[in-house]
Amino acid sequence: MDADLSSLVKGYAHARGLIGSRIAAAPYGVFVAYPPGAKQVAEHFAVKGRPTPEPLARDVWLTVFDPDRGPAEPPPLGQVLVSSEYFMAVPLPRPEAALSYPVEELTTARALAELEADSTYARAPAADGVFHFVVRQAGRIAAAAHYAFGEGGDIVVDRVATHPDFRRRGLGQAVMSGLLAHAHGQGANRALLLSTQAGEKLYTAMGFQTLATVAVYAV
């Protein structure tokens, strides 16, 4: 789990454009100090069952990974459970299948600005080594996702979203398929991601397996 966690954190920070993050191994897993302007000041990525730092400070999150895949535990006194997620992985390449929709890579600042102009999609960092993909419908961006490399041939997929006007059409799977094919062409041999409960069914259908359940706590 330690190697998987280290790879995830490195790719996650890169994919979010958090350049300058200080990432360090810790007895419980990995500690990250984020650069100024980030949503959090720092984050502890911890394997369940190991001693974790307490108490948490404001804007410092604790993200706990349970390899036994149990449910999230109630938060400690003074903390809240921010989200329950799944840490998932799939080997690359996946079995090839014809894409149901054309997938476009965004490579210019203008294209990324178009993506960010729609509130459906989170900030799209224009950092080197972050690869962005979209599916368009009726001249609009209907689904989007991006990735960055972690460690040892891993990529970390981030910010997978489908516009509400275009859901339940297979667009999320299409943009993911195009992204994963591109990543394999860049030398990736495995994809990692953190899935919401809503997205878990899609990723399972695409061959992802759950490595751990995840609980995110904050003050």
Side-chain angles (χ1 to χ4, degrees):
M1 178 56 66
D2 289 86
D4 294 336
L5 197 54
S6 178
S7 187
L8 172 72
V9 171
K10 179 180 178 180
Y12 169 83
H14 192 173
R16 295 274 167 120
L18 299 172
I19 307 304
S21 295
R22 293 189 294 107
I23 302 173
Y28 52 80
V30 179
F31 172 75
V32 184
Y34 294 116
K39 184 177 181 180
Q40 297 96 248
V41 172
E43 190 164 359
H44 304 279
F45 293 84
V47 178
K48 185 177 180 180
R50 300 179 186 177
T52 54
E54 291 188 18
L56 292 181
R58 185 171 299 277
D59 296 326
V60 177
W61 287 12
L62 172 63
T63 301
V64 179
F65 292 73
D66 181 3
D68 293 330
R69 293 173 284 187
E73 294 184 348
L77 184 66
Q79 299 179 23
V80 296
L81 177 64
V82 178
S83 65
S84 296
E85 303 173 356
Y86 300 89
F87 179 26
M88 307 184 77
V90 68
L92 301 177
R94 297 173 56 251
E96 290 191 15
L99 294 178
S100 51
Y101 299 93
V103 177
E104 173 189 346
E105 182 182 2
L106 304 183
T107 58
T108 67
R110 180 176 180 179
L112 292 176
E114 177 191 3
L115 179 63
E116 290 188 321
D118 191 321
S119 60
T120 301
Y121 311 107
R123 178 175 172 269
D128 289 343
V130 181
F131 302 89
H132 300 266
F133 298 86
V134 299
V135 172
R136 296 182 186 272
Q137 292 283 281
R140 298 165 58 192
I141 294 177
H146 64 257
Y147 79 85
F149 273 86
E151 297 176 346
D154 289 341
I155 64 158
V156 175
V157 182
D158 193 35
R159 304 294 200 192
V160 183
T162 301
H163 193 282
D165 291 347
F166 300 102
R167 288 178 180 160
R168 301 189 182 281
R169 303 185 189 184
L171 299 175
Q173 184 165 350
V175 75
M176 280 290 295
S177 295
L179 179 156
L180 294 176
H182 180 276
H184 178 62
Q186 295 291 313
N189 53 40
R190 189 174 65 154
L192 307 173
L193 56 77
L194 290 174
S195 171
T196 62
Q197 292 184 334
E200 185 265 343
K201 184 179 293 186
L202 165 65
Y203 303 125
T204 298
M206 297 188 69
F208 281 81
Q209 295 186 335
T210 299
L211 302 181
T213 49
V214 183
V216 183
Y217 303 97
V219 174

